[in-house]
Amino acid sequence: LVVVTVLPTLKSNNAPEGPKVSTVVPKLKKSDIVLSDSHVKGEPNAPNSLVVFSDFQCPMCKDVSPQLDKLVEKSGKKLNMVYHHFKPRPDHIHSQAMSRAAEAAGEQGKFWEMHDQLFKIQDLVKDEDDKKVDALIMQLAKDIKLDVFKFQASLKAKSADDHFLADNVLALQIKVHQTPTFYGIDSNGVVTEIPTFPDVQTWAKKQGIPN
């Protein structure tokens, strides 16, 4: 209920309003934003983490996703990426359904495969009704070779929404206002809010991560 009633009041803009700088956030600890059930890409025990708040209907999130993958891949196990769902815009009406699909795929060990496919259909779902979006998602499940019957059961389960709702509450608590939003966590556990992907690259270089 908190998410449903509060999210429409958030700033509905995916783009930063003005110049920002990377800012150390003393109040945040790694354990606040990297949880035991967080989705992690890359080496789980990497000394550095990049936490991303993202929305499957956010064009900027789609654009930056391949660049984030390359950064993690080139890091030589020095960096992992942690994903959190966040829906800052009420007009992204299929965001939760798409997140549910990723979570359901995750129950079969294919969260990241579904994550990538969902971004590929972003333009297709924009103006579609729920039934057509559901059909597109079921096709993705087949494309990445999920057990379709298990996937359908997972989509209907309450747990498919739990991660989405918890991530949105977390975003509100730490005052995330837009997607994508990045937090870098270095090997000393220092949490830095990072405004743009070029700034992510700069932060990564300071940690000795090639990009």
Side-chain angles (χ1 to χ4, degrees):
L1 291 176
V2 172
V3 174
V4 172
T5 57
V6 175
L7 285 181
T9 68
L10 294 173
K11 185 194 307 180
S12 59
N13 181 11
N14 281 327
E17 290 186 345
K20 298 181 181 180
V21 294
S22 299
T23 306
V24 172
V25 190
K27 65 181 179 180
L28 281 182
K29 303 186 298 292
K30 181 176 182 178
S31 59
D32 294 327
I33 53 177
V34 181
L35 311 178
S36 59
D37 61 348
S38 291
H39 297 291
V40 180
K41 173 172 275 192
E43 171 56 48
N45 297 315
N48 305 281
S49 295
L50 181 65
V51 178
V52 184
F53 285 83
S54 183
D55 176 359
F56 288 116
Q57 285 200 269
C58 160
M60 290 180 65
C61 297
K62 175 184 176 180
D63 290 345
V64 79
S65 183
Q67 300 176 75
L68 295 172
D69 288 343
K70 288 179 182 178
L71 182 63
V72 172
E73 185 179 344
K74 292 174 65 176
S75 74
K77 298 186 177 181
K78 291 183 178 180
L79 177 73
N80 61 35
M81 178 170 62
V82 179
Y83 186 94
H84 289 301
H85 306 286
F86 183 46
K87 176 189 171 182
R89 295 183 53 144
D91 60 323
H92 286 181
I93 59 174
H94 301 302
S95 177
Q96 186 165 353
M98 295 170 81
S99 297
R100 187 184 302 123
E103 293 299 325
E107 292 190 12
Q108 297 185 45
K110 293 192 174 183
F111 173 87
W112 292 105
E113 288 88 338
M114 181 60 82
H115 164 280
D116 294 345
Q117 294 303 313
L118 287 166
F119 276 129
K120 290 181 180 179
I121 66 165
Q122 185 182 92
D123 293 338
L124 298 177
V125 306
K126 184 177 180 181
D127 299 315
E128 296 293 357
D129 61 30
D130 291 346
K131 288 186 178 180
K132 290 184 179 179
V133 172
D134 289 345
L136 285 168
I137 286 173
M138 288 307 303
Q139 183 58 53
L140 295 184
K142 296 174 184 177
D143 292 344
I144 63 174
K145 303 188 185 310
L146 293 177
D147 181 318
V148 175
F149 294 106
K150 287 183 179 179
F151 180 71
Q152 286 177 316
S154 296
L155 285 175
K156 295 175 183 178
K158 173 182 175 295
S159 57
D161 283 319
D162 287 347
H163 220 130
F164 174 85
L165 297 173
D167 281 354
N168 275 268
V169 169
L170 173 61
L172 291 172
Q173 288 173 339
I174 65 174
K175 303 187 187 307
V176 175
H177 296 295
Q178 62 191 28
T179 54
T181 288
F182 308 105
Y183 291 91
I185 307 173
D186 67 20
S187 57
N188 295 315
V190 176
V191 179
T192 303
E193 184 176 2
I194 309 173
T196 68
F197 180 71
D199 296 313
V200 168
Q201 293 175 302
T202 300
W203 172 85
K205 287 179 181 178
K206 289 181 180 178
Q207 315 313 318
I209 299 168
N211 56 79

